[in-house]
Amino acid sequence: AQTVTQSQPEMSVQEAETVTLSCTYDTSENNYYLFWYKQPPSRQMILVIRQEAYKQQNATENRFSVNFQKAAKSFSLKISDSQLGDTAMYFCAFMKPSGNTPLVFGKGTRLSVIA
Amino acid sequence: EPEVTQTPSHQVTQMGQEVILRCVPISNHLYFYWYRQILGQKVEFLVSFYNNEISEKSEIFDDQFSVERPDGSNFTLKIRSTKLEDSAMYFCASSWSSGSGVYNEQFFGPGTRLTVL
């Protein structure tokens, strides 16, 4: 079974600064997908960024980028130029490559952006 | 932009009562999911549904749970006899269906907060 571990329950960052959220996972699969989801106080789950394991290039979406280290089974999220609206819970998630399989989530990291 | 909707946003019920949580997936999606998030904990998969039958379910999804697509638009989760520990946020999600190995994003609804007293 796959597991996802987020070792930082809470983090804070000053507005406009950069912060990195950590995630490790365990799987015997060679191909899979990894995700970061954002859950603001409204509790809506919002997809932030996605990484395919077969791609060596790290995914980027505007101010969000990942550092994907397949051998180390590590998948960290970097948020640049942090904004107050980035305050949220961030969940790392894993999905097998079968196309419509369940997401396996980590416990989340609560990020606070401070003005 | 199409979105997944869920009703009600908040449901309060007495222990032992039956509840039905409703979801309207995105109209051309064929895969449907229910996830649960107990307050302060991680999001956990309950069940997936495709072609009018359960595709996959977790250990959490025991006999007190059932899912149904009663018409062409709604997807429901029924809890037959609620327990205190069923208090959680319940998220519905849907995705398009294509070939195996092709990624299909799961779009989440806003959730239903269930409180069992």
Side-chain angles (χ1 to χ4, degrees), chain A residues 39 43-44 97 99-101 103, chain B residues 35 37 95-96 101-102 106 108:
Chain A
Q39 187 182 44
R43 302 198 74 179
Q44 177 87 42
N100 296 98
T101 55
L103 290 158
Chain B
Y35 291 85
Q37 184 185 30
S95 64
W96 173 238
V102 177
Q106 293 182 24
F108 282 79

Side-chain angles (χ1 to χ4, degrees), chain B residues 34 36 45-49 54 56-68 75-80:
Chain B
W34 283 103
R36 179 182 81 177
F45 167 72
L46 291 177
V47 65
S48 60
F49 191 85
I54 290 174
E56 191 170 346
K57 62 181 181 179
S58 71
E59 293 177 350
I60 303 168
F61 194 85
D62 60 22
D63 291 344
Q64 70 161 342
F65 292 95
S66 63
V67 289
E68 193 179 28
F75 178 53
T76 62
L77 174 69
K78 181 192 290 186
I79 310 175
R80 288 191 183 81

Side-chain angles (χ1 to χ4, degrees), chain A residues 44, chain B residues 2-6 23-26 29 92-94 107-110:
Chain A
Q44 177 87 42
Chain B
E3 59 182 18
V4 178
T5 59
Q6 291 185 242
C23 168
V24 179
I26 294 173
H29 285 186
C92 174
S94 71
F107 291 81
F108 282 79

Side-chain angles (χ1 to χ4, degrees), chain A:
Chain A
Q2 290 73 31
T3 58
V4 177
T5 302
Q6 294 178 251
S7 59
Q8 305 151 314
E10 293 189 26
M11 294 191 71
S12 62
V13 63
Q14 291 286 333
E15 196 175 9
E17 296 294 309
T18 295
V19 64
T20 299
L21 279 55
S22 301
C23 173
T24 58
Y25 58 93
D26 190 27
T27 183
S28 59
E29 304 279 346
N30 185 51
N31 195 21
Y32 44 86
Y33 300 99
L34 295 165
F35 309 86
W36 280 97
Y37 278 86
K38 172 184 177 180
Q39 187 182 44
S42 65
R43 302 198 74 179
Q44 177 87 42
M45 295 291 286
I46 302 165
L47 178 62
V48 174
I49 199 166
R50 178 184 90 239
Q51 175 80 43
E52 290 92 342
Y54 64 87
K55 290 186 177 179
Q56 292 188 339
Q57 186 174 7
N58 289 323
T60 62
E61 286 287 342
N62 301 313
R63 298 182 294 108
F64 299 88
S65 62
V66 298
N67 183 4
F68 173 49
Q69 301 289 329
K70 189 174 184 180
K73 295 182 181 175
S74 170
F75 182 61
S76 61
L77 174 69
K78 185 171 80 171
I79 306 174
S80 304
D81 185 25
S82 297
Q83 300 175 1
L84 296 177
D86 295 333
T87 294
M89 281 290 286
Y90 286 83
F91 291 96
C92 180
F94 171 100
M95 188 169 82
K96 289 195 284 188
S98 300
N100 296 98
T101 55
L103 290 158
V104 177
F105 288 89
K107 289 188 176 182
T109 296
R110 183 178 303 279
L111 177 67
S112 298
V113 180
I114 303 164

